[in-house]
């Protein structure tokens, strides 16, 4: 998904004669692939709530999706959020699935107060010209890259402030500014629907330490992860300071099999510029970045820790979040004022 240097209206951020401090790779998809749809469907619940039936039903519904990852976290209100991130590489297939009888019945069933938990779904469709992926190794893949065609790299455009933007093809002509705000388009009792504004920026940034051993495992768990968690907690609890609507620091799991040694931060920023500003200058991210660079370069291609991310900048359209019986700090709800 590299963008050409010729015919750019906006200059690259990459410094002259840049050499990345560590190698990285990007995913390559089929040339006829136009976009990816991402549906985040989950429940907000007390830690001891019975949600196995919900998870089992959702797992069954998503069996025909292109990718489905389950994960859980603790949110800023002290509740748990358990979700499936479901990817479709065909926007029409995603829309048909969302409006199918089985998904409609599932949504109606679990929107009932009797279950004692809230439910939500956040639905986004992103053109490939508005997204980028990055991996610390050429073999591993996560997120929607689990169905990529190939991988490109080691790439040049990474490791400097602005590399994320440079890797998004449309950044050659679009500064990705936001001129609107999140908007409540429907509110009825305990149900709220929020429409995303154009250029809302979503990042899913993951860590897989299942392949680490010995010193590398100790370094991740004792040095990198605590600093990472502190940064994610800042975005979760105080993200409004940096225009981050919400952040979930999630642990992946396999339904009815247990947690995996994989985590990711899933954050919604007002704009890519806000994400860049936090990344470049806020002490919580600077600490993450510096800690990683103190450790990773000494291993080079032998780094066992798998790091990755996918970043997208939304176009205007039917991008929305729907929340039933959820707290006001949940997802896109955190960015609006309710009546």
């Amino acid at each position: 998904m590299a963008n050409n240097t010729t015919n750019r209206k906006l200059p690259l951020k990459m410094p002259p004669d840049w050499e990345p401090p560590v190698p990285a790779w990007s995913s390559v998809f089929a040339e006829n692939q136009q976009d990816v749809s991402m549906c985040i469907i989950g429940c907000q619940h007390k830690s001891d709530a019975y949600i196995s039936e919900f998870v089992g039903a959702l797992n069954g519904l998503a069996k025909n999706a292109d990718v489905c990852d389950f994960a859980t976290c603790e949110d800023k209100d002290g509740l748990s959020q358990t979700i499936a991130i479901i990817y479709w590489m065909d926007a029409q297939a995603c829309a048909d699935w969302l409006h199918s009888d089985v998904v409609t019945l599932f949504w109606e069933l679990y929107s009932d107060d009797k279950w004692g938990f809230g439910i939500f779904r956040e639905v986004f469709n992103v053109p490939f010209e508005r997204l980028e992926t990055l991996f610390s190794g050429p073999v591993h893949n996560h997120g929607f890259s689990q169905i990529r065609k190939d991988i490109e790299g080691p790439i040049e455009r990474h490791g400097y402030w602005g590399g994320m933007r440079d890797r998004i093809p449309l950044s050659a002509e679009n500064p990705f500014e936001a001129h609107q705000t999140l908007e409540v388009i429907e509110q009825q009792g305990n149900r709220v629907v929020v429409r995303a504004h154009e250029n809302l920026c979503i990042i899913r940034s993951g860590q897989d330490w299942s392949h680490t051993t010995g010193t590398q495992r100790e370094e991740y768990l004792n040095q990198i992860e605590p600093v990472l968690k502190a940064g994610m907690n800042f975005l979760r609890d105080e993200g409004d300071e940096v225009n981050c609507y919400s952040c979930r620091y999630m642990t992946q799991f396999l339904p009815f099999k247990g947690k995996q040694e994989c985590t990711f931060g899933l954050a919604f920023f007002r704009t890519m510029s806000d994400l860049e500003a936090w990344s470049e200058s806020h002490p919580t991210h600077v600490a993450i970045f510096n800690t990683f660079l103190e450790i990773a370069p000494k291993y080079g291609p032998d780094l066992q820790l798998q790091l990755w991310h996918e970043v997208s900048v939304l176009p205007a359209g039917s991008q929305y979040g729907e929340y039933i019986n959820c707290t006001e700090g949940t997802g896109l709800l955190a960015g609006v004022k309710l009546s």
Side-chain angles (χ1 to χ4, degrees):
M1 290 187 292
N3 42 345
N4 296 325
T5 57
T6 58
N7 300 321
R8 290 185 65 96
K9 294 181 180 179
L10 300 172
L12 289 169
K13 304 290 185 179
M14 185 172 64
D17 302 319
W18 173 252
E19 293 185 10
V22 293
W25 288 257
S26 288
S27 292
V28 177
F29 295 85
E31 290 184 5
N32 62 350
Q33 185 66 53
Q34 298 297 314
D35 48 30
V36 58
S37 294
M38 178 171 65
C39 302
I40 302 164
I41 300 180
C43 62
Q44 183 183 50
H45 57 94
K46 295 181 179 179
S47 59
D48 59 353
Y50 177 74
I51 62 167
S52 295
E53 187 175 315
F54 175 90
V55 170
L58 186 53
N59 189 40
L61 288 176
K63 63 183 179 182
N64 293 324
D66 291 310
V67 175
C68 180
D69 293 332
F70 278 85
T72 189
C73 71
E74 182 178 333
D75 64 25
K76 66 188 298 183
D77 296 309
L79 297 170
S80 295
Q81 293 186 28
T82 299
I83 70 168
I85 302 186
I86 305 166
Y87 297 95
W88 299 84
M89 306 308 280
D90 183 320
Q92 188 59 53
C94 176
D96 292 345
W97 178 78
L98 281 169
H99 294 97
S100 65
D101 290 342
V102 289
V103 173
T104 299
L105 288 172
F106 165 84
W107 193 249
E108 291 177 351
L109 173 64
Y110 288 103
S111 64
D112 196 303
D113 295 353
K114 71 178 182 181
W115 297 99
F117 55 73
I119 61 172
F120 57 90
R121 54 185 173 186
E122 296 155 348
V123 181
F124 311 111
N125 189 68
V126 189
F128 268 77
E129 67 176 3
R130 283 176 165 266
L131 59 80
E132 61 92 8
T133 62
L134 193 70
F135 293 84
S136 62
V139 177
H140 61 275
N141 54 32
H142 298 271
F144 65 82
S145 288
Q146 292 173 66
I147 53 172
R148 68 192 177 198
K149 179 182 178 181
D150 202 350
I151 193 157
E152 175 189 11
I155 62 172
E156 189 178 23
R157 297 180 190 176
H158 87 97
Y160 58 91
W161 304 122
M164 176 174 57
R165 181 182 293 268
D166 284 352
R167 291 188 298 273
I168 297 179
L170 194 59
S171 70
E173 59 185 69
N174 192 328
F176 300 132
E177 297 173 352
H179 301 291
Q180 305 90 16
T181 58
L182 297 176
E183 179 185 3
V184 175
I185 58 174
E186 190 174 345
Q187 183 175 359
Q188 185 175 1
N190 58 3
R191 176 178 177 270
V192 183
V193 182
V194 179
R195 180 163 55 202
H197 57 72
E198 184 170 12
N199 294 327
L200 180 140
C201 184
I202 303 173
I203 179 169
R204 182 182 175 192
S205 180
Q207 310 79 36
D208 179 346
W209 68 96
S210 61
H211 303 281
T212 61
T213 58
T215 300
Q216 290 203 43
R217 188 175 185 87
E218 292 177 3
E219 287 175 333
Y220 176 72
L221 293 175
N222 298 328
Q223 298 180 49
I224 298 176
E225 200 280 335
V227 179
L228 170 66
K229 185 175 181 179
M232 295 298 97
N233 286 348
F234 167 79
L235 292 179
R236 180 192 67 184
D237 299 335
E238 305 172 70
D240 56 339
E241 293 183 14
V242 292
N243 291 322
C244 177
Y245 294 129
S246 71
C247 179
R248 303 173 175 117
Y249 181 43
M250 313 207 74
T251 299
Q252 290 189 211
F253 70 91
L254 297 174
F256 311 111
K257 293 183 180 180
K259 292 184 177 181
Q260 300 172 282
E261 292 185 332
C262 299
T263 55
F264 61 86
L266 177 62
F268 301 154
F269 279 82
R270 185 179 64 92
T271 66
M272 171 162 278
S273 294
D274 293 308
L275 171 55
E276 289 172 320
W278 174 72
S279 300
E280 183 173 353
S281 60
H282 196 275
T284 55
H285 187 268
V286 171
I288 297 170
F289 188 76
N290 289 342
T291 301
F292 174 71
L293 287 185
E294 287 173 3
I295 295 172
K298 65 184 179 182
Y299 296 112
D302 296 322
L303 180 69
Q304 297 169 347
L305 175 65
Q306 298 184 356
L307 300 174
W308 64 279
H309 77 224
E310 55 192 38
V311 175
S312 57
V313 183
L314 298 186
S318 56
Q319 324 275 12
Y320 69 92
E322 180 180 358
Y323 306 87
I324 301 175
N325 292 322
C326 294
T327 64
E328 294 185 7
T330 308
L332 297 178
L333 272 182
V336 299
K337 292 184 179 180
L338 300 178
S339 57

